[in-house]
């Protein structure tokens, strides 16, 4: 029989340069990564980027709009008396009220002129109700979110992964009751899934007060429970592989096997889950700050800024708007990045969330 | 099937009991529980009031007995009086229950009416405009912070455009007032439904039994709705319990944003005011509602998926 | 084994079928010019590796190819006188299940888990036959008994997960024959079954065929089944039929190098070898087919001509054809 060789008959395609760029753009999540890198840099080096001290109050420049808004003048004229006072009466003044201000007021008279100042490049995003620069507060808010998230994520990862590792390997570590330990851990994790986080957060805050540590603890708790289930599943699979068996035969202790041999195999999954979780963490921190249970004023936090801005929606909408956009951009980038990482590193995690 | 239901109900009661235990121990965890009744920055309690409170809480008896006294009262809906209002907690809760239930109902209608059909469309017409629309809606729903959506909604639709009212629930029923709060509350869940339905439909449509159904000669529309959808709906159904649980959380924020007189805003103000009896009542009520919803979805799930019924 | 009636017109005639799929690597020519005939009462086996195009051919015949990535580019499929490719979708769905039926591979997943057996068996009957409701149930029971489901009356209310794999496959078979099709296509129906159940199932199919006179197309990679069940065999490779003939011809006188190689790789009990024979190389990428014969790179008899032009079918014997330049 003649020698049979196989040739892969695939011609090499020369790809022009701009198509390479498009290729890269499609395969790698460039935009989310860029946004997140900017965020981290800006957050870490906040004092360098923020034009003003975020806590600096300047009552004379209260409620300045963002830079693109021109001067607005509002004339308040006298209208007829209106029976049902509605939002309209903000602009209209009933004849009766007008007469209180100026005795001989008639319908059509201008009673007052309100000028809202224009925005300027001095305060790019405007100022809030006490004159603090919104842009600076957004930047420092990023820093706060960053720090809070980093700390709680790290502690959450450490605890969660440890629990997953132990649960998955429990029957080796404790031959007698390892299986029960495993089940117990998993039950606890299951229960924590059912608990509505915000509610628990509020209760904890009542009992333990509104401190920073409490916030970090809460967020660590949220961060933690995503890991044990998947880590344990990984451990169960890796447990049966040959190199683990070899290590066991060689007499390695269970802990050594866990941390030296099994742990590296789990890292992929952990990375993906962590990325997906960070977005949720930021959202929860924002909600807690919004409700007043998170970062305390006057420290700038995006959620709290939105809460502040609520009262000024009609007059100074930018106070609430920009922090919200910040949250949105960050969470969206994290979601995209997390999805991409999951597709790339561990498609088995493709469930709902 | 009835055995299944009975088992589930018993399980629920048990969990509820455990929950009461947890809530109770929360009040005892900080030492003297009377401290929780003292308001911050207030005048504190007079010595007589302090002692009276000690008697009321049966502090002279062992903790387990205290728990039983408390439990007995709770089962009879006596949860004490709110610290701020001086009204019975159960009454406050009852007043706030209606608005929250109505809001939750409309929120759920929005979430399912938008999420599920868009999910099906997005799966069936993959790559079309519906697919991108659906996925866009889902993405926004999951990344935009709930409170921000509500606030921006108020800004745009109430303040600038004046189409919808600013907030709060009026005394007589007005549908307009429900629109923004329901959408705010439900959008996040709509996103979840959408993605879940979409992936479930995609999985199901690839399956062998769908191929066989078509090979039998069943026409395409019937295959889609009778065979595919019926299977795909199982996953979103279980999700409903998560959705409604999420509403408990979401209601706190949404009701706060819209000044809605419901349980959520109550929770928020209670925390703000450190009103402990009210918080306890709220926690018990929320837990109960949550467990009830779970029970219903479990039963519904068993009814829809015959494989569960026999386990 | 049923003998074929050679004087009548074939009940199914496939001519020059081409089904291509548009993928991101290019256009995949899954079925590239397939033609064969099937006579009444005959059992045709279609053999080949995975990826050879056997399943796609079958799906094309039923017009179950997903149309956005796939399309039937060319060909005619004449069943009982009419060209299936010219029918509208609603006309085609009337044909599916009634004139041409399908048994697919995996009994675990081919039945819808949320409906009862009865529901799924009666569905086909209800769609294609205009008979009163009561009779529908009776017909269903009748067809379930025919496939040897014990206690059919109580089984009919069961759900698929309550049945064993073998029984599920019988139910699938029951659905297939419920409307007395002219052609029944069985796509690897026994691959997921235990060996003992396999034998029973194959016997069942043979009995059903003899009773009704329907024609059977058996898609498989297992030559043992081919030997037992089929009258004629078509061997497929890379989207084309490379050899076709009666079972006896193919086994005794394989005339295509691929067929030879396939037969050689079936381990034989009497042989005493150290190493099992496996065909060297890999099948070609279907979106990047070479010019000339697709088997050229792996063929022990390859000549220059093989790489230049794809060989036409050459007659070897009566009813036995092979697409190989050696026969020129």
């Amino acid at each position: 029989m003649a020698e049979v060789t196989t040739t892969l008959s695939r011609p090499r395609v020369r790809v022009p340069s701009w198509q390479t760029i498009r290729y890269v753009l499609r395969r790698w999540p460039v935009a989310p990564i860029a946004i997140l890198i900017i965020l981290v840099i800006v957050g870490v080096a906040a004092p360098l980027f923020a034009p003003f001290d975020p806590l600096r109050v300047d009552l004379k420049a209260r409620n300045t709009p963002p830079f693109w808004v021109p001067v607005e003048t509002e004339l308040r004229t006298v209208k007829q008396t209106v029976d049902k006072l509605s939002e309209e009466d903000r602009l209209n003044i009933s004849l009766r009220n007008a007469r209180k201000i100026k005795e001989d007021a008639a319908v059509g008279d201008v009673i007052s002129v309100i000028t809202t100042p224009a925005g300027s490049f001095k305060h790019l995003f405007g100022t809030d109700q006490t004159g603090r620069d919104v842009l600076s507060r957004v930047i420092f808010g990023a820093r706060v979110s960053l720090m809070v998230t980093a700390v709680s994520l790290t502690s959450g990862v450490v605890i969660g992964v440890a629990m997953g590792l132990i649960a998955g390997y429990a029957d080796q570590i404790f031959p007698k009751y390892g299986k029960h330990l495993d089940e117990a851990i998993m039950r606890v994790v299951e229960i924590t899934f059912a608990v509505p986080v915000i509610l628990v957060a509020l209760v904890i805050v009542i009992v333990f007060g509104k401190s920073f540590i409490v916030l970090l603890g809460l967020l660590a708790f949220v961060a933690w429970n995503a890991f044990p289930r998947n880590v344990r599943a990984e451990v169960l699979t890796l447990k049966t592989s040959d190199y683990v068996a070899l290590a066991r035969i060689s007499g390695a202790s269970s802990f050594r096997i866990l941390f030296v041999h099994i742990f590296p195999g789990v890292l992929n999954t952990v990375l993906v889950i962590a990325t997906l979780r960070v977005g949720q963490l930021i959202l929860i921190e924002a909600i807690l700050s919004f409700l007043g249970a998170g970062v305390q004023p006057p420290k700038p936090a995006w959620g709290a800024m939105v809460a502040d801005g609520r009262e000024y929606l009609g007059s100074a909408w930018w106070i609430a708007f920009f922090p919200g956009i910040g949250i949105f951009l960050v969470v969206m980038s994290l979601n995209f990045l997390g999805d991409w990482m999951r597709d790339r590193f561990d498609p088995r995690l493709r469930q709902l969330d | 099937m009835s055995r299944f239901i009975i088992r589930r109900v018993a399980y629920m009661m048990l969990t509820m009991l455990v929950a009461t235990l947890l809530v109770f121990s929360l009040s005892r965890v900080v030492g003297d529980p009377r401290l929780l009744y003292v308001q911050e920055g207030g005048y504190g309690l007079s010595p007589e009031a302090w002692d009276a409170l000690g008697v009321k809480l049966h502090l002279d008896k062992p903790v387990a007995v205290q728990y039983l006294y408390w439990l007995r009262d709770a089962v009879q809906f006596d949860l004490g009086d709110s610290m701020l209002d001086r009204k019975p907690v159960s009454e406050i809760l009852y007043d706030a229950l209606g608005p929250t239930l109505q809001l939750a109902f409309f929120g759920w209608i929005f979430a399912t009416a938008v999420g599920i059909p868009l999910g099906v469309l997005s799966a069936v017409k993959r790559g079309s405009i519906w697919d991108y629309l659906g996925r866009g809606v889902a993405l926004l729903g999951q990344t935009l912070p709930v409170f921000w959506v509500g606030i921006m909604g108020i800004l745009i639709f109430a303040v600038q455009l004046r189409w919808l009212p600013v907030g709060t629930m009026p005394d007589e029923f007005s549908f307009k007032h429900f629109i923004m709060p329901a959408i705010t509350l439900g959008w996040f869940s709509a996103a979840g439904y959408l993605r879940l339905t979409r992936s479930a439909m995609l999985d199901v449509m690839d399956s062998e039994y769908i191929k066989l159904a078509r090979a039998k000669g069943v026409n395409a529309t019937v295959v889609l709705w009778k065979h595919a959808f019926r299977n795909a709906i199982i996953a979103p159904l279980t999700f409903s319990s998560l959705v409604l649980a999420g509403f408990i959380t979401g209601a706190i924020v949404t009701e706060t944003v819209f000044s809605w007189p419901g349980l959520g805003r109550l929770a928020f103000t209670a925390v703000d005011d450190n009103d402990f009896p009210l918080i306890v009542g709220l926690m018990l009520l929320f837990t109960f509602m949550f467990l009830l919803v779970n029970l219903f979805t479990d039963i519904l799930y068993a009814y829809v998926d015959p494989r569960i019924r026999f386990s | 084994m049923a003998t074929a009636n050679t004087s009548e017109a074939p009940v199914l005639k496939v001519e020059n079928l081409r089904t291509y799929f548009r993928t991101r690597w290019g256009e995949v020519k899954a079925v590239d010019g397939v033609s064969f005939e099937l006579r009444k009462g005959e059992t045709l086996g279609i053999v080949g590796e995975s990826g050879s195009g056997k399943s796609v051919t079958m799906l094309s015949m039923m017009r179950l190819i997903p149309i956005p990535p796939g399309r039937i580019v060319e060909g005619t499929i004449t069943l009982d006188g009419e060209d299936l490719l010219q029918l509208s979708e609603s006309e085609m769905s009337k044909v599916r299940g009634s004139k041409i039926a399908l048994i697919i591979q995996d009994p675990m997943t081919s039945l819808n888990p949320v409906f009862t057996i009865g529901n799924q068996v009666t569905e086909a009957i209800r769609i294609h036959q205009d008979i009163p409701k009561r009779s529908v149930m009776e017909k269903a029971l009748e067809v379930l008994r025919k496939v040897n489901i014990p206690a059919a009356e109580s089984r009919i209310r069961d759900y698929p997960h309550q049945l064993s794999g073998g029984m599920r496959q019988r139910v699938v078979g029951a659905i297939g024959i419920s409307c007395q099709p002219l052609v029944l296509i069985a796509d690897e129906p026994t691959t997921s079954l235990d060996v003992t159940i396999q034998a029973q199932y194959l016997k069942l199919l043979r009995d059903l065929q003899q009773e009704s006179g329907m024609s059977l197309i058996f898609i498989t990679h297992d030559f043992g089944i081919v030997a037992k069940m089929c009258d004629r065999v078509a061997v497929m490779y890379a989207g084309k039929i490379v050899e076709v003939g009666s079972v006896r011809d193919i086994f005794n006188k394989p005339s295509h190098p691929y067929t030879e190689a396939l037969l050689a790789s079936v381990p034989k009990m009497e042989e005493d070898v150290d190493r099992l024979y496996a065909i060297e190389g890999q099948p070609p990428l279907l979106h990047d087919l070479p010019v000339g014969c697709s088997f050229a790179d792996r063929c022990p008899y390859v000549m220059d001509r093989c790489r230049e032009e794809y060989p036409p079918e050459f007659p070897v014997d009566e009813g036995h054809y092979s697409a190989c330049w050696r026969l020129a």
Side-chain angles (χ1 to χ4, degrees):
Chain A
M1 232 194 258
E3 181 90 19
V4 180
T5 50
T6 321
T7 44
L8 279 179
S9 50
R10 229 187 179 177
R12 295 187 76 186
V13 183
R14 305 231 57 186
V15 180
S17 182
W18 72 276
Q19 270 196 5
T20 329
I21 296 181
R22 257 185 42 184
Y23 180 76
V24 168
L25 276 180
R26 275 194 179 192
R27 296 201 67 201
W28 296 76
V30 173
I33 292 184
I35 292 179
L36 289 173
I37 291 183
I38 294 177
L39 170 81
V40 171
I41 293 181
V42 165
V44 166
L48 291 179
F49 288 96
F52 289 88
D53 177 353
L55 302 177
R56 188 185 134 217
V57 166
D58 182 1
L59 291 171
K60 278 189 294 186
R62 277 168 47 198
N63 293 342
T64 325
F67 66 95
W68 63 83
V69 175
V71 173
E72 261 178 38
T73 312
E74 227 173 80
L75 299 178
R76 288 200 166 183
T77 53
V78 183
K79 307 260 175 172
Q80 294 284 22
T81 333
V82 286
D83 283 327
K84 275 206 169 135
L85 296 177
S86 59
E87 296 108 67
E88 309 280 323
D89 67 50
R90 205 168 45 85
L91 289 178
N92 305 330
I93 302 178
S94 69
L95 195 57
R96 184 173 22 169
N97 293 339
R99 290 247 166 90
K100 288 191 207 148
I101 300 173
K102 185 173 166 220
E103 273 172 9
D104 52 350
V107 175
D109 282 357
V110 172
I111 287 293
S112 58
V113 177
I114 300 178
T115 317
T116 359
S120 66
F121 284 102
K122 186 172 174 211
H123 296 283
L124 273 178
F125 284 177
T127 60
D128 70 3
Q129 70 275 19
T130 61
R132 295 175 292 203
D133 178 45
V134 171
L135 176 62
S136 308
R137 284 180 67 82
V138 168
I139 290 178
F140 270 87
R143 180 187 237 198
V144 170
S145 294
L146 203 64
M147 185 178 51
V148 166
T149 313
V151 171
S152 33
L153 184 70
T154 318
S155 26
V157 165
V158 166
I159 300 177
V161 172
M163 286 185 72
L165 286 174
I166 294 179
Y169 210 62
D171 57 347
Q172 297 294 328
I173 307 176
F174 308 107
K176 260 207 287 197
Y177 51 92
K179 214 156 182 255
H180 299 289
L181 180 64
D182 178 8
E183 263 205 51
I185 294 182
M186 282 299 118
R187 279 303 156 108
V188 169
V189 173
E190 259 183 57
I191 294 181
T192 56
F193 266 117
V195 163
V197 172
I198 306 287
L199 200 57
V200 168
L202 292 180
V203 173
I204 300 279
V205 159
I206 286 199
V207 174
F208 294 107
K210 292 179 183 182
S211 76
F212 206 56
I213 306 278
V214 169
L215 179 66
L216 288 178
L218 272 173
L219 290 178
F221 175 75
V222 171
W224 149 74
N225 72 354
F227 295 96
R229 250 214 303 225
N230 288 302
V231 167
R232 174 178 172 272
E234 280 295 306
V235 172
L236 289 180
T237 325
L238 291 173
K239 195 158 73 162
T240 57
S241 50
D242 290 337
Y243 61 88
V244 169
L246 209 64
R248 228 173 329 146
I249 295 175
S250 320
S253 77
S254 292
F255 280 107
R256 188 182 156 80
I257 294 181
L258 253 186
F259 290 106
V260 173
H261 294 278
I262 295 189
F263 176 63
V266 163
L267 274 180
N268 259 355
T269 314
V270 171
L271 201 59
V272 174
I273 298 180
T275 318
L276 288 171
R277 250 332 192 188
V278 173
Q280 289 182 0
L281 277 183
I282 293 192
L283 270 179
I284 293 185
E285 183 261 313
I287 293 182
L288 286 177
S289 305
F290 175 81
L291 293 174
V295 177
Q296 295 302 309
K299 240 189 161 135
W302 286 346
M305 288 169 72
V306 177
D308 287 342
R310 227 179 107 213
E311 298 166 42
Y312 298 91
L313 274 185
S315 43
W317 53 267
W318 50 90
I319 305 178
F321 180 74
F322 289 108
I325 292 277
I327 302 175
F328 167 60
L329 280 178
V330 169
V331 174
M332 191 172 73
S333 308
L334 282 168
N335 271 12
F336 269 125
L337 186 63
D339 278 348
W340 176 83
M341 291 189 82
R342 183 198 54 207
D343 285 346
R344 192 122 188 285
F345 291 117
D346 196 354
R348 282 166 297 168
L349 287 176
R350 196 175 285 158
Q351 317 152 1
L352 164 68
D353 56 34
Chain B
M1 185 72 170
S2 35
R3 258 198 329 173
F4 179 78
I5 297 182
I6 292 177
R7 255 190 312 155
R8 278 281 184 267
V9 171
Y11 184 67
M12 173 180 140
M13 306 272 213
L14 187 65
T15 318
M16 192 67 208
L17 205 63
V18 171
T20 57
L21 201 58
L22 283 172
V23 170
F24 178 76
S25 39
L26 203 61
S27 67
R28 297 296 187 264
V29 94
V30 275
D32 193 328
R34 286 174 292 190
L35 287 170
L36 290 165
Y37 289 82
V38 177
Q39 290 201 274
E40 282 176 26
Y43 289 111
L45 294 175
S46 64
E48 297 89 28
W50 186 262
D51 291 335
L53 195 54
V55 170
K56 185 152 167 269
L57 295 175
H58 305 278
L59 287 177
D60 48 327
K61 311 226 179 36
V63 181
V65 179
Q66 293 176 31
Y67 170 65
L68 289 171
Y69 271 113
W70 178 81
L71 191 62
R72 180 201 65 185
D73 289 336
V75 171
Q76 294 172 5
F77 298 132
D78 174 13
L79 292 155
D81 293 342
S82 155
M83 273 154 52
L84 231 43
D85 278 346
R86 302 277 160 225
K87 277 204 299 195
V89 166
S90 42
E91 203 180 295
I92 301 180
L93 290 180
Y94 181 74
D95 286 337
L97 187 62
T100 300
L101 285 181
Q102 290 175 36
L103 180 63
F105 175 69
F106 281 107
W108 187 77
I109 296 275
F110 173 74
T112 40
V114 168
I116 295 186
L118 266 183
V120 173
L121 267 174
S122 171
V124 172
K125 294 193 191 295
R126 224 176 351 164
S128 72
I129 183 95
W130 291 108
D131 191 8
Y132 286 113
L133 181 69
R135 292 210 290 213
V137 166
L139 181 70
L140 287 179
Q142 286 182 322
T143 49
L144 290 174
V146 175
F147 53 88
W148 195 77
V149 169
I151 289 181
M152 286 298 124
I154 294 179
L155 180 65
I156 298 176
F157 292 104
V159 174
Q160 303 278 22
L161 291 174
R162 307 267 176 101
W163 285 352
L164 293 172
V166 169
T168 274
M169 197 172 118
D171 289 322
E172 322 114 30
F173 181 80
S174 149
F175 184 64
K176 264 206 297 191
H177 281 84
F178 275 95
I179 296 183
M180 275 204 296
I183 294 182
T184 308
L185 184 62
W187 198 350
F188 183 76
S189 309
Y193 273 127
L194 203 153
R195 291 180 74 177
L196 198 51
T197 312
R198 179 175 183 273
S199 74
M201 276 302 276
L202 286 176
D203 276 344
V204 165
M205 289 198 317
D206 262 350
S207 61
E208 293 292 291
Y209 55 82
I210 293 293
K211 206 196 284 184
L212 194 68
R214 295 213 60 209
K216 267 199 276 190
V218 182
N219 94 38
T221 319
V222 174
V223 168
L224 186 71
W225 292 107
K226 178 180 173 200
H227 287 267
F229 187 68
R230 186 77 168 42
N231 269 279
I233 197 69
I234 296 176
L237 211 61
T238 26
F239 184 60
S240 293
S241 64
L242 275 176
V243 164
L244 289 161
F247 277 5
I248 295 179
T249 304
I252 297 181
V253 178
T254 309
E255 289 185 8
T256 307
V257 168
F258 288 96
S259 305
W260 197 264
L263 293 172
R265 193 179 66 156
L266 204 59
F268 173 55
T269 48
V271 170
D272 225 23
D273 300 331
N274 268 323
D275 191 342
F276 193 71
L278 189 53
I279 297 271
V280 167
L282 276 167
M283 279 186 66
L284 288 178
L285 184 58
F286 278 147
T287 312
F288 179 70
M289 282 164 55
F290 176 68
L291 289 173
L292 203 63
V293 166
N294 269 358
L295 181 68
F296 277 135
T297 16
D298 277 348
I299 294 180
L300 198 58
Y301 184 35
Y303 178 70
V304 168
D305 186 349
R307 290 171 284 191
I308 302 296
R309 251 185 264 166
F310 297 101
S311 59
Chain C
M1 230 182 290
T3 44
N5 187 339
T6 50
S7 55
E8 288 175 14
V11 75
L12 174 68
K13 186 166 172 170
V14 175
E15 282 172 300
N16 207 18
L17 178 66
R18 284 180 210 276
T19 305
Y20 296 167
F21 287 84
R22 201 169 282 135
T23 68
R24 64 177 129 145
W25 302 285
E27 188 152 66
V28 170
K29 298 187 175 156
V31 177
D32 199 18
V34 162
S35 308
F36 61 87
E37 289 179 2
L38 184 67
R39 275 179 259 279
K40 183 160 150 63
E42 188 179 32
T43 306
L44 172 71
I46 302 188
V47 191
E49 298 170 283
S50 20
S52 55
K54 356 189 260 286
S55 294
V56 178
T57 309
M58 170 270 294
L59 287 174
S60 305
M61 283 195 275
M62 306 274 301
R63 276 181 55 183
L64 286 176
I65 304 285
I67 293 296
R71 59 194 210 287
I72 301 182
V73 179
E74 205 187 317
T76 55
I77 302 177
T78 316
L79 176 69
D80 199 26
E82 55 182 351
D83 182 2
L84 296 181
L85 295 179
Q86 302 294 333
L87 295 178
S88 72
E89 177 58 36
S90 61
E91 287 167 344
M92 185 68 205
S93 59
K94 291 206 192 77
V95 170
R96 281 191 210 112
S98 65
K99 287 203 191 155
I100 181 168
L102 182 62
I103 300 179
I104 49 184
Q105 186 170 329
D106 191 355
M108 307 299 276
T109 54
S110 27
L111 291 173
N112 196 327
V114 300
F115 295 126
T116 60
I117 306 287
N119 192 320
Q120 300 190 48
V121 174
T122 54
E123 186 177 28
I125 303 176
R126 264 180 291 130
I127 297 177
H128 296 293
Q129 297 181 24
D130 207 3
I131 54 181
K133 271 202 203 149
R134 248 177 311 130
S135 322
V136 169
M137 188 53 89
E138 279 173 29
K139 263 222 109 198
L141 284 170
E142 185 190 317
V143 91
L144 280 173
R145 285 192 205 106
K146 241 194 251 190
V147 296
N148 298 333
I149 302 263
E153 300 83 9
S154 60
R155 282 301 189 185
I156 213 166
R157 275 188 298 267
D158 282 344
Y159 287 92
H161 67 275
Q162 294 172 280
L163 268 60
S164 71
M167 278 221 259
R168 269 185 266 200
Q169 197 62 323
R170 288 168 194 273
V171 172
V172 173
I175 295 177
I177 62 163
S178 60
C179 302
Q180 285 104 32
L182 297 166
V183 178
L184 179 65
I185 307 178
D187 187 1
E188 313 228 31
T190 53
T191 313
S192 343
L193 296 177
D194 288 338
V195 181
T196 44
I197 314 269
Q198 261 187 35
Q200 287 175 17
Y201 195 75
L202 291 176
K203 178 172 184 306
L204 177 65
L205 284 181
R206 252 204 327 262
D207 292 339
L208 290 172
Q209 183 190 29
Q210 276 192 320
E211 191 187 322
S212 63
M214 67 184 173
S215 316
L216 199 53
I217 298 183
F218 231 99
I219 299 181
T220 180
H221 56 270
D222 185 340
F223 271 107
I225 295 183
V226 169
K228 227 196 299 202
M229 297 286 294
C230 304
D231 303 318
R232 308 185 76 237
V233 182
V235 180
M236 278 190 78
Y237 184 77
K240 298 186 177 59
I241 295 186
V242 295
E243 187 169 359
V244 65
S246 73
V247 164
R248 178 162 292 147
D249 286 338
I250 298 287
F251 272 84
N252 293 340
K253 203 169 160 188
S255 308
H256 192 280
Y258 180 60
T259 318
E260 277 180 29
L262 272 185
L263 286 169
S265 46
V266 175
K268 296 171 192 46
M269 291 262 298
E270 321 82 52
E271 259 179 8
D272 192 13
V273 289
D274 293 326
R275 246 187 131 187
L276 292 177
Y277 174 73
I279 311 178
E280 280 186 40
Q282 296 285 332
L285 297 165
L286 289 175
H287 58 274
D288 201 16
L289 288 170
V291 179
C293 178
S294 319
F295 194 60
D297 288 337
R298 305 164 82 183
C299 182
Y301 310 107
V302 63
M303 311 178 291
D304 285 334
R305 195 160 186 203
C306 301
R307 296 195 205 272
E308 287 162 22
E309 206 185 322
Y310 192 84
E313 282 186 348
F314 294 100
V316 179
D317 278 326
E318 172 82 39
H320 181 184
Y321 299 89
S322 169
C324 181
W325 284 120
R326 280 189 312 163
L327 303 165

